[in-house]
Amino acid sequence: RYLKPEGSFRADYGYSNLMFIAAGEVVQAVTGQKWDEFVRERVFQPLEMKSTVTSIKEIDLNNLGNIDVAIPHKVRLQPNQKKLEHIPVDWSNWDNIAAAGGIISSISDMAQWLRLHLSRGTWGGEDGDIIFDEGVQRTMWTPHITTSTITKGNEKTYPTTHFKSYGLGFDLMDYKGRKVMGHGGTFEGMKSRVTLVPEENLGFVILTNGEAHIDRGMSYRILDAYLGSPSDDEEQQDWSAKYLKREKKRLKKRLDALAELQSSRVEGTQMSLLLESYIGTYEDQMYGDASIAVEDEGQNKGQLVIRFRPNPDLVGYLTHFHYDTFEIQWQREFAWFDEGMVEFLMDQATNQITGIKIDVPNEDLWFYELNFSKKGDQ
């Protein structure tokens, strides 16, 4: 409604977590059960996935040092830094979007989920319980839209892959003469990947407590080990080296974006207005409201603070950068992003603030798509 489409309806591929959230709502509408109750009763319990939960509320976060639960990590990015620093970050509550990736599990439990798919939805042998029908399985593994073009570069790197598409909740491709299904996912400070090769009765899952794209390289390495090469003259790929190069390029892109923001500073400038003039509520029709106030307590007393009302964790302190642009220092560490900027937009005729634009370089929450307009007097 408020976001300009990137492509035509049902003609172009665009991944969206919102559709998985919508699917969770459909589950409740059809069954009368909340999504988490449904998957616990219909999936976790029959498969004896005893270590799997749908909320961090089911984890003793105050006792992480004494329980067998991984701690999320991120790479802290700062312009001109010589060494990348991996730091732990807090677990985030995904209850509102749990159907899009809120399941917290283990290798042993996920192996049960893989076995279910390899047995085409039946659990406990041929006469076992039908968790989902084989026809549903085939629909999930049927291509519904092409996800990417096989470029010349792709042909060189993946010479045995001729198509990539998306089914229902599964990435689909061919690799070394087999059909491969899978999916990757990122929880804040965590990355995972599931891969299935039904013709080989093969399935594996990779779970990591960081956001480097190591899961893709590991996945191809495992596939090569099991599937071998279709011809003697095919070059053995060094997937670790390839994906390390890509990871460095990805991080450099983000570092360059942060450095570009910092280098744009014009020294010796001042704010156009008094600090109190920047206070107010700012509305984006798609996202909702953000409020800007002067902090009245603590070490940041007297400083502007921005709060994004749809997400209470999104709180940042604003430090004057230049003109009417302020640098954001977040109240807590986020796995997805680091510092950014808030620019106050002015009506030159009246010298009044009309809105704000936000730039926080990252690969997930695209602040630049938000258009906040300042509301009238509160």
mmCIF file of all heavy atoms in Angstrom, residues 183-229:
data_model
loop_
_atom_site.group_PDB
_atom_site.id
_atom_site.type_symbol
_atom_site.label_atom_id
_atom_site.label_comp_id
_atom_site.label_asym_id
_atom_site.label_seq_id
_atom_site.Cartn_x
_atom_site.Cartn_y
_atom_site.Cartn_z
ATOM 1 N N HIS A 183 16.935 -23.969 2.601
ATOM 2 C CA HIS A 183 16.609 -22.595 2.977
ATOM 3 C C HIS A 183 17.619 -22.112 4.011
ATOM 4 O O HIS A 183 18.062 -22.877 4.859
ATOM 5 C CB HIS A 183 15.199 -22.486 3.546
ATOM 6 C CG HIS A 183 14.548 -21.159 3.281
ATOM 7 N ND1 HIS A 183 14.944 -19.994 3.892
ATOM 8 C CD2 HIS A 183 13.544 -20.817 2.445
ATOM 9 C CE1 HIS A 183 14.205 -18.992 3.453
ATOM 10 N NE2 HIS A 183 13.340 -19.469 2.564
ATOM 11 N N GLY A 184 17.957 -20.849 3.915
ATOM 12 C CA GLY A 184 18.800 -20.217 4.921
ATOM 13 C C GLY A 184 17.972 -19.247 5.737
ATOM 14 O O GLY A 184 16.857 -18.878 5.362
ATOM 15 N N GLY A 185 18.514 -18.860 6.863
ATOM 16 C CA GLY A 185 17.803 -17.900 7.693
ATOM 17 C C GLY A 185 18.741 -17.203 8.649
ATOM 18 O O GLY A 185 19.808 -17.721 8.977
ATOM 19 N N THR A 186 18.340 -16.005 9.075
ATOM 20 C CA THR A 186 19.156 -15.240 10.016
ATOM 21 C C THR A 186 18.283 -14.739 11.150
ATOM 22 O O THR A 186 17.317 -14.017 10.924
ATOM 23 C CB THR A 186 19.829 -14.039 9.324
ATOM 24 O OG1 THR A 186 20.599 -14.495 8.213
ATOM 25 C CG2 THR A 186 20.738 -13.308 10.295
ATOM 26 N N PHE A 187 18.587 -15.193 12.336
ATOM 27 C CA PHE A 187 18.065 -14.603 13.567
ATOM 28 C C PHE A 187 19.144 -13.624 14.008
ATOM 29 O O PHE A 187 20.296 -13.771 13.624
ATOM 30 C CB PHE A 187 17.874 -15.705 14.609
ATOM 31 C CG PHE A 187 17.149 -15.281 15.857
ATOM 32 C CD1 PHE A 187 15.782 -15.464 15.962
ATOM 33 C CD2 PHE A 187 17.835 -14.718 16.924
ATOM 34 C CE1 PHE A 187 15.102 -15.093 17.121
ATOM 35 C CE2 PHE A 187 17.173 -14.344 18.078
ATOM 36 C CZ PHE A 187 15.794 -14.530 18.178
ATOM 37 N N GLU A 188 18.803 -12.619 14.770
ATOM 38 C CA GLU A 188 19.799 -11.598 15.116
ATOM 39 C C GLU A 188 21.023 -12.217 15.787
ATOM 40 O O GLU A 188 20.952 -12.732 16.893
ATOM 41 C CB GLU A 188 19.167 -10.533 16.009
ATOM 42 C CG GLU A 188 18.102 -9.733 15.271
ATOM 43 C CD GLU A 188 17.507 -8.638 16.121
ATOM 44 O OE1 GLU A 188 18.254 -7.753 16.573
ATOM 45 O OE2 GLU A 188 16.290 -8.669 16.339
ATOM 46 N N GLY A 189 22.160 -12.168 15.070
ATOM 47 C CA GLY A 189 23.394 -12.736 15.586
ATOM 48 C C GLY A 189 23.549 -14.215 15.350
ATOM 49 O O GLY A 189 24.472 -14.843 15.879
ATOM 50 N N MET A 190 22.665 -14.801 14.539
ATOM 51 C CA MET A 190 22.702 -16.234 14.230
ATOM 52 C C MET A 190 22.427 -16.446 12.739
ATOM 53 O O MET A 190 21.640 -15.706 12.146
ATOM 54 C CB MET A 190 21.627 -17.000 15.016
ATOM 55 C CG MET A 190 21.656 -16.809 16.510
ATOM 56 S SD MET A 190 22.792 -17.977 17.281
ATOM 57 C CE MET A 190 22.254 -17.906 18.988
ATOM 58 N N LYS A 191 23.057 -17.459 12.148
ATOM 59 C CA LYS A 191 22.723 -17.855 10.784
ATOM 60 C C LYS A 191 22.555 -19.367 10.741
ATOM 61 O O LYS A 191 23.260 -20.099 11.441
ATOM 62 C CB LYS A 191 23.806 -17.431 9.778
ATOM 63 C CG LYS A 191 23.723 -15.978 9.367
ATOM 64 C CD LYS A 191 24.625 -15.667 8.197
ATOM 65 C CE LYS A 191 24.077 -16.232 6.896
ATOM 66 N NZ LYS A 191 22.841 -15.545 6.457
ATOM 67 N N SER A 192 21.628 -19.822 9.895
ATOM 68 C CA SER A 192 21.380 -21.256 9.771
ATOM 69 C C SER A 192 21.076 -21.605 8.321
ATOM 70 O O SER A 192 20.729 -20.732 7.517
ATOM 71 C CB SER A 192 20.198 -21.673 10.660
ATOM 72 O OG SER A 192 19.017 -21.001 10.250
ATOM 73 N N ARG A 193 21.197 -22.887 8.014
ATOM 74 C CA ARG A 193 20.871 -23.362 6.657
ATOM 75 C C ARG A 193 20.482 -24.828 6.715
ATOM 76 O O ARG A 193 21.153 -25.639 7.361
ATOM 77 C CB ARG A 193 22.053 -23.175 5.703
ATOM 78 C CG ARG A 193 21.755 -23.625 4.262
ATOM 79 C CD ARG A 193 22.748 -23.005 3.306
ATOM 80 N NE ARG A 193 22.605 -21.562 3.292
ATOM 81 C CZ ARG A 193 21.712 -20.895 2.556
ATOM 82 N NH1 ARG A 193 20.874 -21.563 1.771
ATOM 83 N NH2 ARG A 193 21.661 -19.583 2.592
ATOM 84 N N VAL A 194 19.380 -25.142 6.044
ATOM 85 C CA VAL A 194 18.888 -26.506 5.891
ATOM 86 C C VAL A 194 19.031 -26.905 4.435
ATOM 87 O O VAL A 194 18.719 -26.119 3.540
ATOM 88 C CB VAL A 194 17.413 -26.607 6.333
ATOM 89 C CG1 VAL A 194 16.775 -27.882 5.812
ATOM 90 C CG2 VAL A 194 17.297 -26.551 7.850
ATOM 91 N N THR A 195 19.511 -28.140 4.181
ATOM 92 C CA THR A 195 19.680 -28.633 2.812
ATOM 93 C C THR A 195 19.178 -30.069 2.734
ATOM 94 O O THR A 195 19.454 -30.881 3.618
ATOM 95 C CB THR A 195 21.155 -28.574 2.377
ATOM 96 O OG1 THR A 195 21.636 -27.229 2.516
ATOM 97 C CG2 THR A 195 21.317 -29.010 0.925
ATOM 98 N N LEU A 196 18.453 -30.377 1.661
ATOM 99 C CA LEU A 196 17.902 -31.712 1.434
ATOM 100 C C LEU A 196 18.195 -32.163 0.002
ATOM 101 O O LEU A 196 18.041 -31.383 -0.939
ATOM 102 C CB LEU A 196 16.386 -31.709 1.651
ATOM 103 C CG LEU A 196 15.886 -31.475 3.076
ATOM 104 C CD1 LEU A 196 14.446 -30.980 3.060
ATOM 105 C CD2 LEU A 196 16.004 -32.752 3.893
ATOM 106 N N VAL A 197 18.619 -33.406 -0.135
ATOM 107 C CA VAL A 197 18.812 -34.040 -1.439
ATOM 108 C C VAL A 197 18.055 -35.371 -1.395
ATOM 109 O O VAL A 197 18.615 -36.413 -1.043
ATOM 110 C CB VAL A 197 20.300 -34.276 -1.762
ATOM 111 C CG1 VAL A 197 20.469 -34.742 -3.216
ATOM 112 C CG2 VAL A 197 21.131 -33.021 -1.502
ATOM 113 N N PRO A 198 16.770 -35.377 -1.736
ATOM 114 C CA PRO A 198 15.939 -36.576 -1.563
ATOM 115 C C PRO A 198 16.446 -37.804 -2.313
ATOM 116 O O PRO A 198 16.334 -38.931 -1.807
ATOM 117 C CB PRO A 198 14.574 -36.123 -2.103
ATOM 118 C CG PRO A 198 14.582 -34.642 -1.958
ATOM 119 C CD PRO A 198 15.995 -34.227 -2.198
ATOM 120 N N GLU A 199 17.005 -37.601 -3.508
ATOM 121 C CA GLU A 199 17.487 -38.754 -4.281
ATOM 122 C C GLU A 199 18.588 -39.525 -3.557
ATOM 123 O O GLU A 199 18.782 -40.719 -3.793
ATOM 124 C CB GLU A 199 17.987 -38.281 -5.646
ATOM 125 C CG GLU A 199 16.888 -37.730 -6.550
ATOM 126 C CD GLU A 199 17.470 -36.891 -7.672
ATOM 127 O OE1 GLU A 199 17.661 -35.675 -7.474
ATOM 128 O OE2 GLU A 199 17.734 -37.455 -8.744
ATOM 129 N N GLU A 200 19.311 -38.838 -2.694
ATOM 130 C CA GLU A 200 20.383 -39.469 -1.935
ATOM 131 C C GLU A 200 19.960 -39.751 -0.494
ATOM 132 O O GLU A 200 20.790 -40.206 0.308
ATOM 133 C CB GLU A 200 21.624 -38.566 -1.932
ATOM 134 C CG GLU A 200 22.162 -38.222 -3.319
ATOM 135 C CD GLU A 200 22.695 -39.448 -4.036
ATOM 136 O OE1 GLU A 200 23.169 -40.380 -3.355
ATOM 137 O OE2 GLU A 200 22.631 -39.486 -5.292
ATOM 138 N N ASN A 201 18.694 -39.446 -0.179
ATOM 139 C CA ASN A 201 18.216 -39.568 1.203
ATOM 140 C C ASN A 201 19.133 -38.793 2.155
ATOM 141 O O ASN A 201 19.447 -39.239 3.266
ATOM 142 C CB ASN A 201 18.120 -41.033 1.631
ATOM 143 C CG ASN A 201 17.181 -41.219 2.821
ATOM 144 O OD1 ASN A 201 16.184 -40.509 2.950
ATOM 145 N ND2 ASN A 201 17.510 -42.156 3.687
ATOM 146 N N LEU A 202 19.550 -37.627 1.684
ATOM 147 C CA LEU A 202 20.533 -36.808 2.405
ATOM 148 C C LEU A 202 19.892 -35.517 2.892
ATOM 149 O O LEU A 202 19.167 -34.849 2.158
ATOM 150 C CB LEU A 202 21.710 -36.478 1.479
ATOM 151 C CG LEU A 202 22.734 -35.449 1.987
ATOM 152 C CD1 LEU A 202 23.480 -35.976 3.201
ATOM 153 C CD2 LEU A 202 23.707 -35.084 0.863
ATOM 154 N N GLY A 203 20.172 -35.192 4.123
ATOM 155 C CA GLY A 203 19.761 -33.912 4.665
ATOM 156 C C GLY A 203 20.755 -33.455 5.717
ATOM 157 O O GLY A 203 21.314 -34.274 6.438
ATOM 158 N N PHE A 204 20.993 -32.169 5.789
ATOM 159 C CA PHE A 204 21.882 -31.642 6.836
ATOM 160 C C PHE A 204 21.476 -30.220 7.181
ATOM 161 O O PHE A 204 20.842 -29.511 6.395
ATOM 162 C CB PHE A 204 23.360 -31.722 6.416
ATOM 163 C CG PHE A 204 23.712 -31.006 5.137
ATOM 164 C CD1 PHE A 204 24.050 -29.660 5.132
ATOM 165 C CD2 PHE A 204 23.715 -31.691 3.923
ATOM 166 C CE1 PHE A 204 24.395 -29.009 3.960
ATOM 167 C CE2 PHE A 204 24.056 -31.050 2.737
ATOM 168 C CZ PHE A 204 24.389 -29.704 2.751
ATOM 169 N N VAL A 205 21.835 -29.830 8.391
ATOM 170 C CA VAL A 205 21.542 -28.490 8.880
ATOM 171 C C VAL A 205 22.812 -27.883 9.438
ATOM 172 O O VAL A 205 23.640 -28.572 10.059
ATOM 173 C CB VAL A 205 20.428 -28.514 9.949
ATOM 174 C CG1 VAL A 205 20.829 -29.382 11.140
ATOM 175 C CG2 VAL A 205 20.100 -27.108 10.434
ATOM 176 N N ILE A 206 22.995 -26.605 9.206
ATOM 177 C CA ILE A 206 24.157 -25.852 9.707
ATOM 178 C C ILE A 206 23.628 -24.735 10.596
ATOM 179 O O ILE A 206 22.797 -23.926 10.160
ATOM 180 C CB ILE A 206 24.983 -25.270 8.544
ATOM 181 C CG1 ILE A 206 25.539 -26.389 7.664
ATOM 182 C CG2 ILE A 206 26.119 -24.391 9.070
ATOM 183 C CD1 ILE A 206 26.092 -25.908 6.333
ATOM 184 N N LEU A 207 24.071 -24.688 11.829
ATOM 185 C CA LEU A 207 23.683 -23.643 12.766
ATOM 186 C C LEU A 207 24.928 -22.898 13.226
ATOM 187 O O LEU A 207 25.915 -23.528 13.630
ATOM 188 C CB LEU A 207 22.963 -24.237 13.984
ATOM 189 C CG LEU A 207 21.730 -25.120 13.719
ATOM 190 C CD1 LEU A 207 21.174 -25.644 15.042
ATOM 191 C CD2 LEU A 207 20.664 -24.360 12.952
ATOM 192 N N THR A 208 24.913 -21.586 13.168
ATOM 193 C CA THR A 208 26.059 -20.790 13.615
ATOM 194 C C THR A 208 25.583 -19.676 14.538
ATOM 195 O O THR A 208 24.432 -19.233 14.441
ATOM 196 C CB THR A 208 26.817 -20.154 12.416
ATOM 197 O OG1 THR A 208 26.055 -19.056 11.884
ATOM 198 C CG2 THR A 208 27.042 -21.178 11.313
ATOM 199 N N ASN A 209 26.446 -19.218 15.420
ATOM 200 C CA ASN A 209 26.093 -18.100 16.289
ATOM 201 C C ASN A 209 26.854 -16.840 15.894
ATOM 202 O O ASN A 209 27.442 -16.132 16.697
ATOM 203 C CB ASN A 209 26.327 -18.435 17.766
ATOM 204 C CG ASN A 209 27.781 -18.658 18.081
ATOM 205 O OD1 ASN A 209 28.559 -19.078 17.236
ATOM 206 N ND2 ASN A 209 28.167 -18.364 19.318
ATOM 207 N N GLY A 210 26.797 -16.556 14.583
ATOM 208 C CA GLY A 210 27.365 -15.343 14.013
ATOM 209 C C GLY A 210 26.655 -15.056 12.704
ATOM 210 O O GLY A 210 25.825 -15.849 12.254
ATOM 211 N N GLU A 211 26.989 -13.936 12.071
ATOM 212 C CA GLU A 211 26.278 -13.549 10.860
ATOM 213 C C GLU A 211 27.136 -13.620 9.599
ATOM 214 O O GLU A 211 26.724 -13.153 8.540
ATOM 215 C CB GLU A 211 25.683 -12.151 11.023
ATOM 216 C CG GLU A 211 24.582 -12.114 12.074
ATOM 217 C CD GLU A 211 23.712 -10.878 11.982
ATOM 218 O OE1 GLU A 211 24.181 -9.862 11.460
ATOM 219 O OE2 GLU A 211 22.555 -10.943 12.431
ATOM 220 N N ALA A 212 28.325 -14.194 9.699
ATOM 221 C CA ALA A 212 29.120 -14.423 8.493
ATOM 222 C C ALA A 212 28.439 -15.486 7.641
ATOM 223 O O ALA A 212 27.766 -16.380 8.153
ATOM 224 C CB ALA A 212 30.528 -14.870 8.872
ATOM 225 N N HIS A 213 28.619 -15.393 6.325
ATOM 226 C CA HIS A 213 27.928 -16.303 5.406
ATOM 227 C C HIS A 213 28.685 -17.618 5.242
ATOM 228 O O HIS A 213 28.768 -18.165 4.137
ATOM 229 C CB HIS A 213 27.739 -15.612 4.052
ATOM 230 C CG HIS A 213 26.757 -14.482 4.119
ATOM 231 N ND1 HIS A 213 26.315 -13.807 3.007
ATOM 232 C CD2 HIS A 213 26.128 -13.895 5.168
ATOM 233 C CE1 HIS A 213 25.458 -12.862 3.363
ATOM 234 N NE2 HIS A 213 25.332 -12.899 4.674
ATOM 235 N N ILE A 214 29.201 -18.131 6.325
ATOM 236 C CA ILE A 214 29.956 -19.385 6.288
ATOM 237 C C ILE A 214 29.058 -20.564 5.947
ATOM 238 O O ILE A 214 29.519 -21.589 5.424
ATOM 239 C CB ILE A 214 30.665 -19.611 7.649
ATOM 240 C CG1 ILE A 214 31.595 -20.818 7.570
ATOM 241 C CG2 ILE A 214 29.637 -19.793 8.765
ATOM 242 C CD1 ILE A 214 32.421 -21.022 8.822
ATOM 243 N N ASP A 215 27.756 -20.437 6.211
ATOM 244 C CA ASP A 215 26.838 -21.554 5.989
ATOM 245 C C ASP A 215 26.746 -21.970 4.525
ATOM 246 O O ASP A 215 26.613 -23.145 4.203
ATOM 247 C CB ASP A 215 25.440 -21.199 6.516
ATOM 248 C CG ASP A 215 24.877 -19.945 5.858
ATOM 249 O OD1 ASP A 215 25.523 -18.886 5.956
ATOM 250 O OD2 ASP A 215 23.797 -20.029 5.259
ATOM 251 N N ARG A 216 26.845 -21.027 3.611
ATOM 252 C CA ARG A 216 26.754 -21.351 2.183
ATOM 253 C C ARG A 216 27.968 -22.155 1.729
ATOM 254 O O ARG A 216 27.838 -23.166 1.032
ATOM 255 C CB ARG A 216 26.616 -20.079 1.354
ATOM 256 C CG ARG A 216 25.271 -19.383 1.513
ATOM 257 C CD ARG A 216 25.169 -18.180 0.599
ATOM 258 N NE ARG A 216 23.898 -17.510 0.739
ATOM 259 C CZ ARG A 216 22.807 -17.827 0.054
ATOM 260 N NH1 ARG A 216 22.834 -18.833 -0.811
ATOM 261 N NH2 ARG A 216 21.677 -17.146 0.219
ATOM 262 N N GLY A 217 29.154 -21.694 2.106
ATOM 263 C CA GLY A 217 30.359 -22.422 1.728
ATOM 264 C C GLY A 217 30.386 -23.819 2.309
ATOM 265 O O GLY A 217 30.745 -24.790 1.627
ATOM 266 N N MET A 218 29.983 -23.944 3.575
ATOM 267 C CA MET A 218 29.934 -25.267 4.211
ATOM 268 C C MET A 218 28.931 -26.179 3.510
ATOM 269 O O MET A 218 29.176 -27.375 3.320
ATOM 270 C CB MET A 218 29.555 -25.119 5.686
ATOM 271 C CG MET A 218 30.625 -24.489 6.557
ATOM 272 S SD MET A 218 30.087 -24.326 8.272
ATOM 273 C CE MET A 218 29.944 -26.051 8.743
ATOM 274 N N SER A 219 27.805 -25.601 3.104
ATOM 275 C CA SER A 219 26.776 -26.396 2.437
ATOM 276 C C SER A 219 27.295 -26.995 1.135
ATOM 277 O O SER A 219 27.122 -28.198 0.879
ATOM 278 C CB SER A 219 25.548 -25.517 2.163
ATOM 279 O OG SER A 219 24.559 -26.247 1.473
ATOM 280 N N TYR A 220 27.959 -26.189 0.330
ATOM 281 C CA TYR A 220 28.496 -26.707 -0.937
ATOM 282 C C TYR A 220 29.617 -27.723 -0.689
ATOM 283 O O TYR A 220 29.766 -28.693 -1.424
ATOM 284 C CB TYR A 220 28.999 -25.555 -1.809
ATOM 285 C CG TYR A 220 27.894 -24.897 -2.600
ATOM 286 C CD1 TYR A 220 27.439 -23.625 -2.267
ATOM 287 C CD2 TYR A 220 27.299 -25.547 -3.678
ATOM 288 C CE1 TYR A 220 26.424 -23.017 -2.991
ATOM 289 C CE2 TYR A 220 26.279 -24.947 -4.405
ATOM 290 C CZ TYR A 220 25.843 -23.689 -4.062
ATOM 291 O OH TYR A 220 24.827 -23.091 -4.769
ATOM 292 N N ARG A 221 30.409 -27.489 0.341
ATOM 293 C CA ARG A 221 31.487 -28.440 0.645
ATOM 294 C C ARG A 221 30.908 -29.806 1.012
ATOM 295 O O ARG A 221 31.420 -30.857 0.592
ATOM 296 C CB ARG A 221 32.345 -27.904 1.798
ATOM 297 C CG ARG A 221 33.484 -28.838 2.192
ATOM 298 C CD ARG A 221 34.519 -28.945 1.086
ATOM 299 N NE ARG A 221 35.552 -29.930 1.380
ATOM 300 C CZ ARG A 221 35.480 -31.219 1.074
ATOM 301 N NH1 ARG A 221 34.399 -31.696 0.445
ATOM 302 N NH2 ARG A 221 36.466 -32.030 1.361
ATOM 303 N N ILE A 222 29.833 -29.809 1.798
ATOM 304 C CA ILE A 222 29.188 -31.066 2.183
ATOM 305 C C ILE A 222 28.557 -31.743 0.969
ATOM 306 O O ILE A 222 28.676 -32.963 0.777
ATOM 307 C CB ILE A 222 28.129 -30.810 3.270
ATOM 308 C CG1 ILE A 222 28.810 -30.333 4.565
ATOM 309 C CG2 ILE A 222 27.314 -32.075 3.552
ATOM 310 C CD1 ILE A 222 27.851 -29.809 5.611
ATOM 311 N N LEU A 223 27.898 -30.964 0.117
ATOM 312 C CA LEU A 223 27.307 -31.531 -1.094
ATOM 313 C C LEU A 223 28.377 -32.174 -1.971
ATOM 314 O O LEU A 223 28.177 -33.278 -2.501
ATOM 315 C CB LEU A 223 26.570 -30.441 -1.883
ATOM 316 C CG LEU A 223 25.242 -29.959 -1.291
ATOM 317 C CD1 LEU A 223 24.722 -28.762 -2.065
ATOM 318 C CD2 LEU A 223 24.209 -31.079 -1.289
ATOM 319 N N ASP A 224 29.518 -31.503 -2.126
ATOM 320 C CA ASP A 224 30.602 -32.073 -2.931
ATOM 321 C C ASP A 224 31.108 -33.380 -2.331
ATOM 322 O O ASP A 224 31.405 -34.341 -3.048
ATOM 323 C CB ASP A 224 31.762 -31.072 -3.038
ATOM 324 C CG ASP A 224 31.456 -29.934 -3.998
ATOM 325 O OD1 ASP A 224 30.416 -29.994 -4.682
ATOM 326 O OD2 ASP A 224 32.257 -28.977 -4.066
ATOM 327 N N ALA A 225 31.210 -33.419 -1.015
ATOM 328 C CA ALA A 225 31.726 -34.624 -0.359
ATOM 329 C C ALA A 225 30.807 -35.817 -0.582
ATOM 330 O O ALA A 225 31.275 -36.948 -0.749
ATOM 331 C CB ALA A 225 31.911 -34.358 1.137
ATOM 332 N N TYR A 226 29.498 -35.563 -0.589
ATOM 333 C CA TYR A 226 28.543 -36.658 -0.747
ATOM 334 C C TYR A 226 28.245 -36.996 -2.207
ATOM 335 O O TYR A 226 28.056 -38.161 -2.558
ATOM 336 C CB TYR A 226 27.233 -36.313 -0.026
ATOM 337 C CG TYR A 226 27.252 -36.668 1.432
ATOM 338 C CD1 TYR A 226 27.761 -35.791 2.385
ATOM 339 C CD2 TYR A 226 26.775 -37.898 1.881
ATOM 340 C CE1 TYR A 226 27.779 -36.112 3.737
ATOM 341 C CE2 TYR A 226 26.792 -38.236 3.230
ATOM 342 C CZ TYR A 226 27.298 -37.338 4.148
ATOM 343 O OH TYR A 226 27.333 -37.657 5.480
ATOM 344 N N LEU A 227 28.192 -35.978 -3.044
ATOM 345 C CA LEU A 227 27.765 -36.200 -4.423
ATOM 346 C C LEU A 227 28.920 -36.451 -5.378
ATOM 347 O O LEU A 227 28.713 -36.995 -6.461
ATOM 348 C CB LEU A 227 26.945 -34.997 -4.920
ATOM 349 C CG LEU A 227 25.718 -34.624 -4.080
ATOM 350 C CD1 LEU A 227 24.975 -33.470 -4.730
ATOM 351 C CD2 LEU A 227 24.797 -35.821 -3.897
ATOM 352 N N GLY A 228 30.135 -36.037 -4.992
ATOM 353 C CA GLY A 228 31.282 -36.227 -5.869
ATOM 354 C C GLY A 228 31.189 -35.355 -7.104
ATOM 355 O O GLY A 228 30.328 -34.490 -7.232
ATOM 356 N N SER A 229 32.088 -35.581 -8.061
ATOM 357 C CA SER A 229 32.119 -34.805 -9.294
ATOM 358 C C SER A 229 31.539 -35.625 -10.432
ATOM 359 O O SER A 229 31.820 -36.817 -10.553
ATOM 360 C CB SER A 229 33.558 -34.398 -9.638
ATOM 361 O OG SER A 229 34.098 -33.596 -8.609
#
